[in-house]
Amino acid sequence: MWLKPEEILLKNAFKLWVTEKDNEYFVLQRRRGYGEGGGGLTGLLVGTLDTVLDSTSKVAPYRILHHTPDSQVYWTIACGVTKEEIVQHWDWLQQNIMRTLSVFDSSEDITSFVQGKIRGLIAEEGKTSLVLEDDPEKFREALLRFEKWFELPPEEKLVTYYSCSYWKGKVPCQGWLYLSTNFLCFYSYLLGAEVKLVISWDEIWRLEKTSNVLLTESIHVLAHGEDHYFSMLLHLNETFVIMEQLADYSIKRLFDKEAFQREPALSDPLQITKRGLEAHAKSEQFRTFFRLPKEENLLEVHESFLWVPFSHYNTLGKICLSENYLCFASQDGSQCHVIIPMREVVNVEKPDSSSRALTVCVRGKRALRFSEVRDYQRLANTIRSRCGISASPQHSASSEAIRGECQSLINHFEDNPEDVTLMVGQKDSSKAVSTEALMTVFHPQDVENLDPKMLKEKMKEQSWNIHFSEYGRGTSMFFTRKTRDLIVRGVPEALRGELWMLLSGAVNDMATHPGYYTELVEQSLGTSTLATDEIERDLHRSLPEHPAFQSDTGISALRRVLTAYAYRNPKIGYCQAMNILTSVLLLYAKEEEAFWLLVAVCERMLPDYFNRRIIGALVDQAVFEDLIRENLPQLVEHMTDLSFFSSVSLSWFLTLFISVLPIESAVNVVDCFFYDGIKAILQLGLAVLDYNMEALISCHDDAEAVTILNKFFDSVTNKDSPLPPTVQQASVGNNDKASHISVDISELIREAYEKYGNIRSEEVESSRKRNKLYVIQTLEDTTKQNVIRVVSQEVRFSTSQLDELYNLFKRQHFLSCYWTMKSPALLHHDPSLAYLEQYQLGFQQFSLLFSLLEPWTFCTSKSTLSLWVFRLIDENQDGLINFKEFCCGLDTLYSGSFTNKLKFLFKLHLPPAFDLPEDGVIRKSPERGRGKVDLQAYLKQWQNEILKKEENIKDLPRINQSQFIQFSKTLYNIFHGDPEEESLYRAVAHVTSLLLRMEEVGRKLQEPSSPPETKKPANTSAAEESSTEEASTTPEGSDTSSSHISQEAVPDPAETEWSFSFEQVLASLLNEPTIVGFFERPVDIKAKLAQARVAQLKLKANN
């Protein structure tokens, strides 16, 4: 490998290098301790020194130096792993450089020429692969060590590397940590002791930063039940974040089957870089904070001041620019942020270049002034180009009018800072939809009603109107502390739908997708799937006490929204709890708005909540447990097992407390959720437990604790709610309400914010990532136990052997996904399948795994026979093998009787296993999981499996001439390499001859007068003798023996056709003790599994 020329002063520093070749300008050297005469104490010391100092010499012990006769300075220009590699570089220098150097007069010119030539070679090599790395030269050297030490497949992409200590027991090993797309690797070499660690990201259960007495700060990794600690990292936080991102990327890609189609930096696992991961993480934080659509990516960040008109001062913060949004967030603790969609921008002006300021004018006669922007000119041009605003002075008349309007607004704004009336925004007029919010239909507000509750409601509305007049209204409204205070006090009924749309970001989704919902409703109308069946079942269970859902108006709207969403996102489809949440959304938002609110909740605010495994809710429950330990130590001391709170709080998270609180109180919780996200639910959960602390501590069992919490929720009221009793949800425990003091929801929420408002969203997200690994691995482990329990009833493998087999099978499935986004396992993944079929193998992956586990030597990864095995055990002929099918086939070959093993081999040469399709492609079943599930068909299939009887050998069809020839070849292939190979070959030849004689005799008895048959016995006899003699003298392999059988022992198929039954073949082979003994020889399953575990990844690397 060519290296960037680096200067060294002593070519034999400390006698660590030995010169092998040299000439006037170049020296080829070998590292002492390597190659001939290597080893000993010198080798140990040199190897240790190379590893600790991260020297390339550890993996590339050969190098070439450049020098000139009149200089003592040497330059490293190449290194090599093997002598052959370095000699190739040496020869290239001799042929291409040496002659040219003679024309130069000075040493400086010679050195400059050589350096330029080497740099050119390096640039040519790294033109494609290393262009995105921060330091391509250093990265090339690290990549060389990574490939040499860990022997992973060449497709594996190294992302970054760090020097660190790995704690093996109580002894630290200084070495290097390598982080790649699919693996965490560590290498250390100290005084002859080599430590090598390779862990795939999908095997990690825990990844967290820890500290204790021995290790001040380290990274803890839990995998395969073993703890690994990495410390002494120069950039520990950076290392941890990259590890966290790679683990999360692996989880999403392998378990969630996410393709990252909208994120080019992550769409190809072969091109993952540290820079790409960092950009992805920043974009994710940006979208989460500002509640923007998933399509948005953070493109630019500028530090600046924003003039805040309602406070009359400039606030320091950052401008964040994406494809379609200009956002600002303060950094001075004022909690002020604003979101400006590019579609709302009408012009961008630069009123004062001395203050590096630019002013953005938006619809509604509003302007935002940003000052002290370092690159304000470029930012202004970028905003203009994204908004489609021309920057040239030749504007049209309309553009000039807009410009004049904005300029006058800016001038007035600067001259009269106290006048904020011009900053009043106008409410956006959204596209009308077919229905109104159900609350306005079933509970229209009586304007003349002046009871205390309605008066308080009017006061709330007035407070919000004042807020709108100061901070703006609509998409470009300022969000501040005052906004949060108003949310905590409760949103007025009339403004709830508008504010939910604004706070969730759904208003932007709807504005950029006009007519989308109507199209979805039309397309999904009349479709019949498993999701639509479940929706119909749950429609009348959604807020049944509310009048809106006792009528066809509400039920029809709910049906349309849920069905349209299931059609939009089949990955989620429909999940229980979505109906309850959507019902509440429909009460306060129009039908189309409710749909987009549901999109915002399911796809952004509560990721992974609404799927079959509700992973997101389980992760947040784990976060909740962590917060309980941190904030409620008294409760933890009394109830050491916090899993009780997980089970009891599941409905809190899934339905945002709607299922446990009366509807008039629950909507206040939803208000806070749309403003603060899951943080609001966690805070309220802590407040609920804190409020009931004494009662929970004194309870004796879980049932008593559940009763306490249920009574508490029944006592929660909303004293300010203007809703009449007919609309308010009836409490389950009304009879006991007198014994429990009522709690006002506003007070409970206020207390939650006061006590636990210091919980930061960043900490919640970090805790989510940390707990997600453990939750997913726990679910995976549960799935494995379920699969093993089902499969163990049909095979003779022990539980531990099935556990090993499952791990191998699952890893082989992942190996097909590691280096591509287009593997069949990813493209045909269907989350609706049963857990038994969640992991499946296509033919290529099956062939690789089967070659590691098959008991004989007849199946290689490229063997046609492996295709026949694949087709035989693929019971449903869908071109994919599940774990049960795989184990059943392997069980027959490992532990089956002689008859069953022979029957398996016999069936390999019968249709459908033996007959190949004309195009050579395995048949695929129609895509599953998309249409309506035929439950009757499933029940019938289940019944057939229960009633399935042992296959009778008499039911097997006869094997014809070509099939029998191939069957004989297969037997020869199986016996090849066996210690008793010669006697086994002879036995097969004898059986073949015997069967041919039997067939000939049978034919003669049936047709005694047939003239053509008179020559057959002689030919057959000759063939038998020849085959016997051949088998006994030249058992050189399957090809020789097979060709002999096919050419001499087989009659011409044009003259006659013959066939054998399985009973005939079995009876003949039972007479050969050598063959029977071979098939009944026990297989060391434990050794096979151990070898496969070691060789699985290497086999992929060599293919």
Side-chain angles (χ1 to χ4, degrees):
M1 182 177 79
W2 299 109
L3 299 176
K4 180 182 177 182
E6 288 188 4
E7 182 180 324
I8 59 171
L9 294 177
L10 297 171
K11 67 172 182 176
N12 290 317
F14 305 109
K15 305 283 184 185
L16 296 179
W17 292 91
V18 179
T19 299
E20 300 260 312
K21 293 182 181 182
D22 64 347
N23 58 36
E24 190 177 0
Y25 297 108
F26 300 102
V27 180
L28 189 155
Q29 295 184 325
R30 171 177 56 82
R31 188 73 162 172
R32 192 177 293 277
Y34 296 88
E36 298 177 5
L41 182 60
T42 305
L44 292 178
L45 292 172
V46 172
T48 301
L49 188 65
D50 289 342
T51 302
V52 172
L53 298 178
D54 189 32
S55 172
T56 307
S57 310
K58 174 64 183 173
V59 290
Y62 297 92
R63 72 178 182 180
I64 296 175
L65 304 178
H66 162 65
H67 73 108
T68 52
D70 56 350
S71 173
Q72 294 300 312
V73 176
Y74 288 76
W75 301 81
T76 56
I77 60 172
C79 69
V81 178
T82 62
K83 191 167 185 177
E84 292 75 16
E85 181 187 355
I86 204 69
V87 166
Q88 283 183 358
H89 285 56
W90 178 266
D91 292 342
W92 188 89
L93 290 170
Q94 298 295 317
Q95 296 168 13
N96 298 279
I97 300 293
M98 284 297 293
R99 293 179 183 176
T100 310
L101 296 182
S102 61
V103 303
F104 292 101
D105 296 329
S106 68
S107 299
E108 289 80 6
D109 292 341
I110 291 173
T111 301
S112 297
F113 175 78
V114 171
Q115 290 180 357
K117 197 69 178 174
I118 299 302
R119 286 194 176 97
L121 291 171
I122 293 171
E124 194 64 32
E125 284 180 0
K127 192 174 285 184
T128 54
S129 59
L130 303 173
V131 69
L132 295 175
E133 304 302 337
D134 293 333
D135 188 348
E137 298 300 331
K138 289 288 183 185
F139 198 85
R140 286 173 77 249
E141 297 178 24
L143 183 60
L144 176 70
R145 295 190 292 273
F146 175 72
E147 291 172 347
K148 175 71 175 177
W149 284 337
F150 302 108
E151 298 177 339
L152 295 171
E155 301 96 334
E156 184 62 16
K157 175 70 173 65
L158 176 65
V159 176
T160 188
Y161 59 100
Y162 299 95
S163 171
C164 72
S165 289
Y166 168 63
W167 290 78
K168 194 175 183 183
K170 295 183 179 180
V171 181
C173 304
Q174 184 63 33
W176 289 85
L177 179 69
Y178 293 85
L179 308 178
S180 66
T181 306
N182 300 294
F183 299 95
L184 178 157
C185 306
F186 176 84
Y187 184 86
S188 173
Y189 182 89
L190 294 171
L191 298 177
E194 185 179 56
V195 177
K196 193 183 292 186
L197 181 71
V198 179
I199 302 172
S200 59
W201 296 113
D202 56 85
E203 297 169 337
I204 293 177
W205 283 63
R206 288 278 188 197
L207 178 61
E208 56 194 352
K209 285 190 287 187
T210 59
S211 60
N212 53 40
V213 178
L214 194 61
L215 302 173
T216 53
E217 201 171 14
S218 62
I219 295 174
H220 171 222
V221 176
L222 173 62
H224 300 299
E226 297 180 9
D227 293 298
H228 307 276
Y229 292 92
F230 302 92
S231 65
M232 303 293 288
L233 284 147
L234 187 61
H235 305 288
L236 188 135
N237 288 331
E238 177 191 304
T239 308
F240 179 73
V241 168
I242 293 292
M243 292 171 73
E244 201 174 48
Q245 289 169 354
L246 285 168
D248 188 56
Y249 176 66
S250 181
I251 290 291
K252 287 180 178 176
R253 194 162 57 88
L254 301 177
F255 292 100
D256 300 342
K257 304 298 187 287
E258 194 170 321
F260 298 95
Q261 294 175 347
R262 294 168 178 163
E263 299 180 61
L266 302 182
S267 59
D268 184 359
L270 304 183
Q271 300 297 328
I272 300 297
T273 63
K274 179 183 172 185
R275 192 184 303 172
L277 286 170
E278 289 171 346
H280 168 72
K282 288 177 181 175
S283 292
E284 209 167 40
Q285 290 173 356
F286 166 69
R287 288 191 296 265
T288 302
F289 183 82
F290 292 107
R291 305 279 165 79
L292 298 179
K294 281 189 172 182
E295 297 80 14
E296 299 302 311
N297 293 293
L298 182 61
L299 303 178
E300 297 179 22
V301 178
H302 301 267
E303 217 171 64
S304 75
F305 287 91
L306 171 65
W307 174 255
V308 185
F310 44 85
S311 299
H312 309 306
Y313 77 100
N314 284 309
T315 180
L316 175 65
K318 287 187 177 178
I319 300 172
C320 301
L321 194 68
S322 70
E323 291 86 348
N324 299 296
Y325 295 89
L326 173 69
C327 306
F328 177 88
S330 66
Q331 293 181 294
D332 58 3
S334 62
Q335 296 181 5
C336 168
H337 72 271
V338 63
I339 304 163
I340 308 168
M342 294 294 189
R343 64 180 184 274
E344 298 290 320
V345 177
V346 294
N347 206 354
V348 180
E349 292 296 331
K350 306 186 300 295
D352 186 4
S353 58
S354 61
S355 62
R356 295 181 298 182
L358 61 100
T359 302
V360 179
C361 302
V362 297
R363 288 194 180 94
K365 294 186 178 181
R366 297 189 58 205
L368 292 95
R369 177 188 171 92
F370 300 97
S371 59
E372 299 300 327
V373 183
R374 180 175 295 178
D375 201 354
Y376 71 95
Q377 179 67 56
R378 188 172 65 83
L379 177 60
N381 292 334
T382 303
I383 297 171
R384 284 197 190 97
S385 64
R386 294 199 172 276
C387 299
I389 301 169
S390 173
S392 64
Q394 288 82 19
H395 292 317
S396 63
S398 59
S399 298
E400 288 291 345
I402 293 173
R403 180 173 178 173
E405 179 186 344
C406 289
Q407 188 61 52
S408 63
L409 174 62
I410 294 161
N411 294 336
H412 184 91
F413 170 60
E414 291 176 338
D415 297 337
N416 304 283
E418 72 284 348
D419 185 4
V420 296
T421 55
L422 287 173
M423 297 298 290
V424 180
Q426 295 178 354
K427 181 180 175 180
D428 292 340
S429 56
S430 58
K431 182 185 175 186
V433 290
S434 57
T435 62
E436 288 295 319
L438 295 179
M439 194 62 82
T440 62
V441 177
F442 288 88
H443 177 53
Q445 287 193 11
D446 186 357
V447 192
E448 297 178 359
N449 186 356
L450 297 178
D451 64 25
K453 289 187 176 181
M454 282 305 298
L455 283 174
K456 196 156 188 177
E457 186 76 0
K458 293 294 179 186
M459 289 173 63
K460 282 185 183 178
E461 287 185 30
Q462 187 60 31
S463 298
W464 275 100
N465 286 329
I466 294 170
H467 181 276
F468 291 147
S469 68
E470 291 181 355
Y471 300 90
R473 187 171 188 172
T475 50
S476 50
M477 181 180 84
F478 281 88
F479 294 90
T480 65
R481 272 205 191 97
K482 189 174 180 182
T483 313
R484 194 195 72 174
D485 293 340
L486 288 173
I487 293 286
V488 170
R489 284 164 51 189
V491 174
E493 299 281 320
L495 296 175
R496 189 161 268 134
E498 176 191 345
L499 287 170
W500 285 359
M501 290 289 290
L502 184 63
L503 297 172
S504 66
V507 64
N508 292 314
D509 289 323
M510 195 169 84
T512 53
H513 296 83
Y516 177 78
Y517 174 67
T518 308
E519 290 176 12
L520 271 187
V521 170
E522 291 173 358
Q523 292 168 4
S524 61
L525 198 64
T527 56
S528 182
T529 63
L530 183 61
T532 57
D533 289 348
E534 292 177 346
I535 289 169
E536 288 298 325
R537 185 189 63 206
D538 287 347
L539 283 177
H540 295 279
R541 303 177 186 175
S542 311
L543 302 186
E545 303 90 350
H546 200 286
F549 298 101
Q550 295 170 358
S551 72
D552 186 59
T553 305
I555 293 295
S556 298
L558 182 59
R559 178 187 291 112
R560 285 193 295 269
V561 172
L562 291 174
T563 306
Y565 185 78
Y567 189 85
R568 164 192 164 87
N569 191 345
K571 187 177 179 181
I572 291 178
Y574 171 76
C575 177
Q576 281 190 342
M578 285 173 68
N579 61 318
I580 297 173
L581 176 61
T582 309
S583 302
V584 174
L585 298 178
L586 281 167
L587 289 178
Y588 293 98
K590 299 174 185 178
E591 188 176 315
E592 184 178 7
E593 293 174 339
F595 169 79
W596 286 113
L597 283 168
L598 185 63
V599 169
V601 171
C602 294
E603 298 176 15
R604 290 201 303 270
M605 301 186 72
L606 296 178
D608 298 326
Y609 260 62
F610 301 101
N611 54 38
R612 293 187 177 274
R613 300 202 293 178
I614 56 171
I615 290 172
L618 296 175
V619 169
D620 282 342
Q621 283 182 297
V623 174
F624 188 50
E625 283 186 26
D626 290 344
L627 291 172
I628 292 173
R629 290 188 187 92
E630 186 179 335
N631 294 281
L632 302 173
Q634 286 178 292
L635 198 59
V636 176
E637 287 174 13
H638 178 73
M639 304 182 73
T640 51
D641 183 13
L642 297 182
S643 59
F644 161 74
F645 295 113
S646 293
S647 58
V648 112
S649 65
L650 181 60
S651 62
W652 304 357
F653 291 98
L654 279 173
T655 65
L656 309 179
F657 283 93
I658 295 170
S659 62
V660 293
L661 288 174
I663 186 65
E664 66 276 7
S665 301
V667 290
N668 285 36
V669 179
V670 180
D671 296 338
C672 298
F673 167 75
F674 279 124
Y675 185 82
D676 264 327
I678 195 62
K679 176 174 168 282
I681 306 300
L682 294 168
Q683 289 173 181
L684 185 62
L686 291 173
V688 168
L689 297 181
D690 189 18
Y691 194 93
N692 294 278
M693 176 81 74
E694 292 182 7
L696 289 171
I697 288 176
S698 62
C699 67
H700 299 91
D701 54 35
D702 292 352
E704 190 178 345
V706 170
T707 305
I708 289 169
L709 290 173
N710 285 339
K711 286 183 177 180
F712 170 77
F713 287 128
D714 290 340
S715 69
V716 175
T717 61
N718 188 348
K719 62 183 181 183
D720 298 331
S721 175
L723 301 180
T726 54
V727 175
Q728 293 189 16
Q729 183 177 334
S731 296
V732 179
N734 272 339
N735 297 333
D736 301 328
K737 207 168 212 180
S739 62
H740 217 290
I741 302 171
S742 63
V743 182
D744 183 59
I745 186 64
S746 297
E747 290 299 316
L748 187 62
I749 290 174
R750 186 182 55 77
E751 191 175 324
Y753 271 90
E754 284 179 359
K755 285 190 175 181
Y756 309 108
N758 59 344
I759 297 172
R760 296 170 60 242
S761 298
E762 293 82 1
E763 293 171 357
V764 172
E765 287 301 319
S766 177
S767 184
R768 271 178 161 179
K769 287 180 181 177
R770 183 175 66 251
N771 284 291
K772 185 175 181 180
L773 290 170
Y774 186 78
V775 167
I776 284 184
Q777 295 293 7
T778 303
L779 289 173
E780 288 291 311
D781 194 57
T782 304
T783 298
K784 178 171 73 172
Q785 301 307 323
N786 291 335
V787 170
I788 289 174
R789 186 172 62 253
V790 171
V791 174
S792 63
Q793 299 172 6
E794 303 194 22
V795 296
R796 282 154 285 201
F797 290 115
S798 67
T799 304
S800 61
Q801 290 169 348
L802 281 174
D803 190 281
E804 283 279 351
L805 277 171
Y806 185 88
N807 292 335
L808 289 168
F809 189 87
K810 178 180 171 182
R811 192 174 201 192
Q812 196 66 42
H813 168 89
F814 282 159
L815 284 173
S816 69
C817 311
Y818 274 170
W819 299 284
T820 178
M821 288 291 191
K822 297 182 179 179
S823 70
L826 289 174
L827 296 176
H828 300 289
H829 174 69
D830 183 0
S832 67
L833 290 175
Y835 53 76
L836 195 61
E837 298 188 44
Q838 281 299 306
Y839 296 116
Q840 297 177 313
L841 301 182
F843 168 64
Q844 294 298 331
Q845 293 304 315
F846 162 81
S847 184
L848 289 170
L849 182 58
F850 194 67
S851 66
L852 294 172
L853 293 171
E854 48 85 18
W856 309 306
T857 58
F858 72 92
C859 180
T860 62
S861 60
K862 297 182 180 178
S863 168
T864 308
L865 199 58
S866 65
L867 176 61
W868 301 342
V869 174
F870 179 83
R871 292 181 139 231
L872 179 61
I873 64 178
D874 181 14
E875 295 179 0
N876 56 2
Q877 296 295 302
D878 65 347
L880 294 169
I881 297 293
N882 64 34
F883 182 66
K884 180 182 174 183
E885 293 169 334
F886 182 77
C887 286
C888 288
L890 209 58
D891 181 61
T892 301
L893 297 178
Y894 276 6
S895 308
S897 63
F898 173 73
T899 302
N900 286 335
K901 290 178 180 177
L902 191 63
K903 184 168 67 175
F904 186 90
L905 293 173
F906 188 84
K907 289 168 69 176
L908 285 182
H909 302 85
L910 295 172
F914 184 72
D915 290 343
L916 294 175
E918 293 180 6
D919 57 1
V921 178
I922 300 173
R923 293 192 300 276
K924 296 281 183 185
S925 67
E927 193 174 357
R928 295 168 293 178
R930 299 298 177 216
K932 181 177 173 64
V933 177
D934 190 346
L935 297 177
Q936 293 296 328
Y938 266 117
L939 290 172
K940 188 174 181 182
Q941 181 183 349
W942 183 43
Q943 186 180 20
N944 291 338
E945 287 182 0
I946 293 174
L947 299 175
K948 187 166 63 177
K949 297 178 180 178
E950 183 69 26
E951 188 177 38
N952 195 318
I953 59 175
K954 293 183 179 180
D955 299 332
L956 291 173
R958 295 173 69 86
I959 194 169
N960 64 28
Q961 184 173 324
S962 62
Q963 293 165 350
F964 180 71
I965 293 170
Q966 189 58 56
F967 177 74
S968 303
K969 287 182 180 181
T970 300
L971 289 177
Y972 280 115
N973 288 335
I974 290 174
F975 302 147
H976 180 62
D978 192 85
E980 300 181 8
E981 180 179 3
E982 187 175 343
S983 58
L984 288 166
Y985 280 177
R986 194 180 296 113
V988 172
H990 182 261
V991 168
T992 305
S993 302
L994 179 64
L995 286 169
L996 288 170
R997 274 203 200 103
M998 289 170 59
E999 177 65 17
E1000 182 62 29
V1001 170
R1003 191 181 299 110
K1004 286 182 69 176
L1005 290 173
Q1006 290 176 2
E1007 303 176 13
S1009 60
S1010 177
E1013 296 297 322
T1014 55
K1015 294 184 179 180
K1016 283 293 175 186
N1019 294 341
T1020 306
S1021 177
E1024 293 160 5
E1025 292 173 8
S1026 176
S1027 66
T1028 307
E1029 181 182 353
E1030 184 75 21
S1032 61
T1033 56
T1034 59
E1036 296 177 359
S1038 59
D1039 293 340
T1040 306
S1041 305
S1042 304
S1043 61
H1044 175 80
I1045 291 290
S1046 61
Q1047 291 173 11
E1048 297 187 25
V1050 179
D1052 185 3
E1055 297 179 17
T1056 181
E1057 277 292 334
W1058 42 266
S1059 63
F1060 300 114
S1061 68
F1062 175 72
E1063 291 171 293
Q1064 290 175 303
V1065 175
L1066 176 63
S1068 303
L1069 289 173
L1070 280 171
N1071 289 322
E1072 298 294 335
T1074 315
I1075 295 177
V1076 174
F1078 173 85
F1079 281 109
E1080 291 186 342
R1081 192 184 302 162
V1083 179
D1084 189 347
I1085 301 175
K1086 186 177 180 181
K1088 273 282 182 186
L1089 293 173
Q1091 292 168 7
R1093 189 169 58 251
V1094 173
Q1096 190 175 27
L1097 198 57
K1098 291 183 179 179
L1099 183 66
K1100 172 65 183 175
N1102 296 329
N1103 272 274

